[in-house]
Short mmCIF file of all heavy atoms in Angstrom, two decimals:
data_model
loop_
_atom_site.label_atom_id
_atom_site.label_comp_id
_atom_site.label_asym_id
_atom_site.label_seq_id
_atom_site.Cartn_x
_atom_site.Cartn_y
_atom_site.Cartn_z
N ARG J 245 0.33 -9.73 19.01
CA ARG J 245 1.48 -9.38 18.18
C ARG J 245 1.20 -9.84 16.75
O ARG J 245 0.62 -10.90 16.52
CB ARG J 245 2.75 -10.07 18.68
CG ARG J 245 3.22 -9.56 20.04
CD ARG J 245 4.05 -8.30 19.91
NE ARG J 245 4.63 -7.93 21.20
CZ ARG J 245 4.16 -6.98 21.98
NH1 ARG J 245 3.09 -6.30 21.62
NH2 ARG J 245 4.75 -6.69 23.13
N TRP J 246 1.63 -9.03 15.78
CA TRP J 246 1.44 -9.39 14.38
C TRP J 246 2.50 -8.70 13.53
O TRP J 246 3.16 -7.76 13.99
CB TRP J 246 0.04 -9.01 13.89
CG TRP J 246 -0.34 -7.57 14.14
CD1 TRP J 246 -1.03 -7.08 15.21
CD2 TRP J 246 -0.02 -6.44 13.32
NE1 TRP J 246 -1.16 -5.71 15.12
CE2 TRP J 246 -0.56 -5.29 13.96
CE3 TRP J 246 0.66 -6.27 12.12
CZ2 TRP J 246 -0.44 -4.01 13.43
CZ3 TRP J 246 0.79 -4.99 11.58
CH2 TRP J 246 0.23 -3.88 12.24
N SER J 247 2.65 -9.16 12.32
CA SER J 247 3.54 -8.48 11.38
C SER J 247 2.97 -8.63 9.97
O SER J 247 2.28 -9.62 9.66
CB SER J 247 4.96 -9.04 11.44
OG SER J 247 4.97 -10.40 11.05
N VAL J 248 3.23 -7.65 9.15
CA VAL J 248 2.82 -7.66 7.74
C VAL J 248 4.02 -7.26 6.91
O VAL J 248 4.76 -6.32 7.28
CB VAL J 248 1.66 -6.68 7.49
CG1 VAL J 248 1.32 -6.62 6.00
CG2 VAL J 248 0.42 -7.08 8.29
N GLU J 249 4.23 -7.96 5.80
CA GLU J 249 5.37 -7.67 4.94
C GLU J 249 4.90 -7.40 3.52
O GLU J 249 3.99 -8.06 3.00
CB GLU J 249 6.34 -8.85 4.95
CG GLU J 249 7.57 -8.64 4.08
CD GLU J 249 8.57 -9.79 4.19
OE1 GLU J 249 8.54 -10.50 5.23
OE2 GLU J 249 9.38 -9.96 3.25
N TRP J 250 5.50 -6.39 2.89
CA TRP J 250 5.24 -6.07 1.50
C TRP J 250 6.58 -6.06 0.75
O TRP J 250 7.56 -5.48 1.26
CB TRP J 250 4.64 -4.68 1.33
CG TRP J 250 3.37 -4.40 2.07
CD1 TRP J 250 2.09 -4.52 1.61
CD2 TRP J 250 3.25 -3.89 3.41
NE1 TRP J 250 1.18 -4.12 2.57
CE2 TRP J 250 1.87 -3.73 3.68
CE3 TRP J 250 4.18 -3.56 4.41
CZ2 TRP J 250 1.39 -3.24 4.90
CZ3 TRP J 250 3.71 -3.08 5.62
CH2 TRP J 250 2.33 -2.93 5.86
N ASP J 251 6.66 -6.66 -0.42
CA ASP J 251 7.84 -6.41 -1.24
C ASP J 251 7.59 -5.10 -2.00
O ASP J 251 6.49 -4.55 -1.98
CB ASP J 251 8.15 -7.58 -2.18
CG ASP J 251 7.07 -7.83 -3.23
OD1 ASP J 251 6.37 -6.89 -3.64
OD2 ASP J 251 6.91 -9.00 -3.64
N GLY J 252 8.62 -4.59 -2.64
CA GLY J 252 8.51 -3.27 -3.26
C GLY J 252 7.42 -3.17 -4.30
O GLY J 252 6.69 -2.17 -4.39
N THR J 253 7.29 -4.20 -5.13
CA THR J 253 6.29 -4.18 -6.19
C THR J 253 4.88 -4.20 -5.62
O THR J 253 4.01 -3.43 -6.04
CB THR J 253 6.48 -5.39 -7.12
OG1 THR J 253 7.79 -5.34 -7.70
CG2 THR J 253 5.44 -5.38 -8.24
N LEU J 254 4.65 -5.08 -4.63
CA LEU J 254 3.33 -5.15 -4.00
C LEU J 254 2.99 -3.84 -3.31
O LEU J 254 1.86 -3.34 -3.41
CB LEU J 254 3.30 -6.30 -3.00
CG LEU J 254 2.02 -6.46 -2.17
CD1 LEU J 254 0.83 -6.74 -3.08
CD2 LEU J 254 2.19 -7.57 -1.13
N LEU J 255 3.95 -3.27 -2.58
CA LEU J 255 3.71 -2.01 -1.88
C LEU J 255 3.30 -0.91 -2.85
O LEU J 255 2.33 -0.17 -2.61
CB LEU J 255 4.96 -1.60 -1.11
CG LEU J 255 4.87 -0.27 -0.36
CD1 LEU J 255 3.83 -0.35 0.75
CD2 LEU J 255 6.25 0.10 0.21
N LEU J 256 4.00 -0.81 -3.96
CA LEU J 256 3.68 0.21 -4.96
C LEU J 256 2.29 0.00 -5.53
O LEU J 256 1.50 0.95 -5.67
CB LEU J 256 4.73 0.20 -6.07
CG LEU J 256 4.56 1.24 -7.18
CD1 LEU J 256 4.62 2.65 -6.60
CD2 LEU J 256 5.64 1.06 -8.26
N ASP J 257 1.96 -1.24 -5.85
CA ASP J 257 0.64 -1.54 -6.41
C ASP J 257 -0.48 -1.17 -5.42
O ASP J 257 -1.50 -0.60 -5.80
CB ASP J 257 0.52 -3.03 -6.76
CG ASP J 257 1.34 -3.40 -7.98
OD1 ASP J 257 1.76 -2.48 -8.71
OD2 ASP J 257 1.58 -4.61 -8.19
N ILE J 258 -0.27 -1.52 -4.13
CA ILE J 258 -1.28 -1.22 -3.11
C ILE J 258 -1.44 0.28 -2.94
O ILE J 258 -2.56 0.81 -2.91
CB ILE J 258 -0.92 -1.90 -1.78
CG1 ILE J 258 -1.14 -3.42 -1.89
CG2 ILE J 258 -1.75 -1.33 -0.63
CD1 ILE J 258 -0.67 -4.20 -0.68
N LEU J 259 -0.33 1.01 -2.83
CA LEU J 259 -0.42 2.45 -2.61
C LEU J 259 -1.04 3.16 -3.81
O LEU J 259 -1.75 4.16 -3.63
CB LEU J 259 0.96 3.02 -2.30
CG LEU J 259 1.60 2.57 -0.97
CD1 LEU J 259 2.96 3.23 -0.78
CD2 LEU J 259 0.69 2.90 0.20
N ARG J 260 -0.79 2.67 -5.00
CA ARG J 260 -1.42 3.29 -6.19
C ARG J 260 -2.93 3.13 -6.17
O ARG J 260 -3.64 3.90 -6.81
CB ARG J 260 -0.83 2.67 -7.45
CG ARG J 260 0.53 3.23 -7.83
CD ARG J 260 1.11 2.53 -9.04
NE ARG J 260 2.32 3.20 -9.51
CZ ARG J 260 3.18 2.68 -10.39
NH1 ARG J 260 2.95 1.46 -10.88
NH2 ARG J 260 4.23 3.35 -10.77
N ARG J 261 -3.42 2.14 -5.43
CA ARG J 261 -4.87 1.94 -5.31
C ARG J 261 -5.44 2.65 -4.09
O ARG J 261 -6.48 3.29 -4.16
CB ARG J 261 -5.18 0.45 -5.25
CG ARG J 261 -6.67 0.14 -5.19
CD ARG J 261 -6.97 -1.34 -5.19
NE ARG J 261 -6.52 -2.00 -3.97
CZ ARG J 261 -5.44 -2.75 -3.85
NH1 ARG J 261 -4.67 -2.95 -4.90
NH2 ARG J 261 -5.11 -3.30 -2.70
N THR J 262 -4.76 2.52 -2.95
CA THR J 262 -5.33 3.02 -1.70
C THR J 262 -5.13 4.53 -1.50
O THR J 262 -5.99 5.18 -0.89
CB THR J 262 -4.75 2.28 -0.49
OG1 THR J 262 -3.32 2.47 -0.45
CG2 THR J 262 -5.06 0.79 -0.56
N VAL J 263 -4.04 5.08 -1.98
CA VAL J 263 -3.81 6.51 -1.79
C VAL J 263 -4.88 7.35 -2.49
O VAL J 263 -5.44 8.27 -1.89
CB VAL J 263 -2.38 6.89 -2.23
CG1 VAL J 263 -2.23 8.40 -2.40
CG2 VAL J 263 -1.35 6.37 -1.22
N PRO J 264 -5.22 7.07 -3.76
CA PRO J 264 -6.31 7.83 -4.38
C PRO J 264 -7.65 7.60 -3.67
O PRO J 264 -8.41 8.56 -3.44
CB PRO J 264 -6.36 7.28 -5.81
CG PRO J 264 -5.01 6.72 -6.05
CD PRO J 264 -4.57 6.17 -4.73
N ALA J 265 -7.94 6.35 -3.30
CA ALA J 265 -9.24 6.05 -2.69
C ALA J 265 -9.39 6.67 -1.31
O ALA J 265 -10.47 7.14 -0.94
CB ALA J 265 -9.43 4.53 -2.61
N THR J 266 -8.31 6.69 -0.54
CA THR J 266 -8.39 7.16 0.84
C THR J 266 -8.02 8.63 0.99
O THR J 266 -8.66 9.36 1.76
CB THR J 266 -7.45 6.31 1.73
OG1 THR J 266 -7.76 4.93 1.57
CG2 THR J 266 -7.60 6.69 3.20
N LEU J 267 -7.01 9.08 0.26
CA LEU J 267 -6.49 10.44 0.45
C LEU J 267 -6.89 11.40 -0.66
O LEU J 267 -6.71 12.61 -0.51
CB LEU J 267 -4.96 10.41 0.56
CG LEU J 267 -4.36 9.46 1.61
CD1 LEU J 267 -2.85 9.56 1.59
CD2 LEU J 267 -4.91 9.78 2.99
N GLY J 268 -7.38 10.87 -1.78
CA GLY J 268 -7.76 11.74 -2.89
C GLY J 268 -6.59 12.22 -3.71
O GLY J 268 -6.72 13.14 -4.53
N VAL J 269 -5.42 11.60 -3.52
CA VAL J 269 -4.23 11.95 -4.30
C VAL J 269 -4.22 11.11 -5.57
O VAL J 269 -4.50 9.91 -5.54
CB VAL J 269 -2.94 11.69 -3.48
CG1 VAL J 269 -1.70 11.96 -4.32
CG2 VAL J 269 -2.94 12.53 -2.22
N GLU J 270 -3.90 11.73 -6.69
CA GLU J 270 -3.92 11.01 -7.97
C GLU J 270 -2.90 9.87 -7.97
O GLU J 270 -1.79 10.01 -7.44
CB GLU J 270 -3.62 11.96 -9.11
CG GLU J 270 -4.70 13.01 -9.34
CD GLU J 270 -4.36 13.92 -10.51
OE1 GLU J 270 -3.25 13.76 -11.08
OE2 GLU J 270 -5.19 14.77 -10.84
N ALA J 271 -3.29 8.75 -8.56
CA ALA J 271 -2.42 7.58 -8.58
C ALA J 271 -1.09 7.87 -9.27
O ALA J 271 -0.06 7.30 -8.93
CB ALA J 271 -3.14 6.43 -9.28
#
């Protein structure tokens, strides 16, 4: 069992980096 938590700012920062790298969608 595990859990991971993101606050809104962290989540946005991570997705702006990982979405372009993984999905090819512009940041």
Side-chain angles (χ1 to χ4, degrees):
R245 292 276 187 259
W246 53 266
S247 63
V248 176
E249 180 176 337
W250 304 265
D251 64 30
T253 300
L254 176 62
L255 178 65
L256 182 60
D257 288 345
I258 288 174
L259 294 181
R260 280 176 172 167
R261 183 177 67 256
T262 60
V263 165
T266 306
L267 307 180
V269 176
E270 294 181 356

